Amino acid sequence: DAGITQSPRHKVTETGTPVTLRCHQTENHRYMYWYRQDPGHGLRLIHYSYGVKDTDKGEVSDGYSVSRSKTEDFLLTLESATSSQTSVYFCAISFGQGRGTNNEQFFGPGTRLTVL
Amino acid sequence: GQQLNQSPQSMFIQEGEDVSMNCTSSSIFNTWLWYKQDPGEGPVLLIALYKAGELTSNGRLTAQFGITRKDSFLNISASIPSDVGIYFCAGQLRGNKLVFGAGTILRVKS
């Protein structure tokens, strides 16, 4: 267990409503990531953070925003949820930039989101 | 975007058999990682590879970083029922971003 929690673990919401997912780490890792997992697609990066208030887009960032106001928390927000955002969302952390073990990412338990 | 081709998509094998799966890409990677995911849980890191040609073992698991840096394979020897799950490869590009394969679903007959 890499000291990563995600909340909520399950959520059902309606189209058009805002949703915020939270990732919390106790490892003091610099990098945090949000992925979505869909059948046949593996894990796709939504956004990531390389420090407090430092974030960047991944390959599927449209419709999502993130915030990181402190090292341990990384929030993912769906401003107006759509059915295409029904997915399982995973948070991950890594120690930092560079080579070797710094690149290893450790995952949280996931949040299953259903948008009706 | 970048893609990893992971094969096979699924496997159904007898307990005790050896298993092999691989990932290939047209891109060169600096690091290859192999993860396993059990139902309802997040992926767990199994093996990390950092140099071309590197061969690393973790118990019954062995993985290799291809010499061209564009591929990697994972072998599982003498499979057991708890090996069931989804196995993902991931390659590291610039910075700390990873690209994931679509996964190999492993089912074991007891």
Side-chain angles (χ1 to χ4, degrees), chain A residues 9 31 33 35 37 40 42-43 48 57 90 94 96-98 100-105 107-109, chain B residues 30-31 33 35 37 40-43 45 48 50 69 86 88 92 95-98 100-103:
Chain A
R9 293 293 314 278
Y31 281 70
Y33 312 80
Y35 291 89
Q37 184 177 33
L43 290 142
Y48 69 102
K57 296 179 180 180
F90 287 99
S94 68
Q97 194 170 16
T101 58
N102 287 344
N103 298 318
E104 295 173 9
Q105 292 186 18
F107 285 81
Chain B
N30 296 321
T31 301
L33 305 174
Y35 289 85
Q37 184 178 25
E41 299 182 11
L45 182 63
Y50 306 111
R69 295 169 62 193
I86 306 176
F88 292 100
Q92 182 234 343
N96 265 41
K97 292 185 183 179
L98 295 180
F100 282 82

Side-chain angles (χ1 to χ4, degrees), chain B residues 5-46:
Chain B
N5 300 308
Q6 186 171 350
S7 65
Q9 285 187 317
S10 64
M11 305 180 71
F12 198 15
I13 63 170
Q14 291 280 358
E15 183 178 353
E17 287 184 349
D18 296 344
V19 173
S20 184
M21 60 191 78
N22 68 84
C23 279
T24 61
S25 176
S26 57
S27 301
I28 292 175
F29 291 102
N30 296 321
T31 301
W32 281 96
L33 305 174
W34 284 92
Y35 289 85
K36 183 190 178 208
Q37 184 178 25
D38 292 325
E41 299 182 11
V44 174
L45 182 63
L46 298 174

Side-chain angles (χ1 to χ4, degrees), chain A residues 72-90:
Chain A
E72 55 266 35
D73 289 326
F74 192 32
L75 304 180
L76 177 71
T77 297
L78 292 64
E79 300 289 348
S80 178
T82 67
S83 58
S84 65
Q85 294 175 311
T86 292
S87 187
V88 182
Y89 292 85
F90 287 99

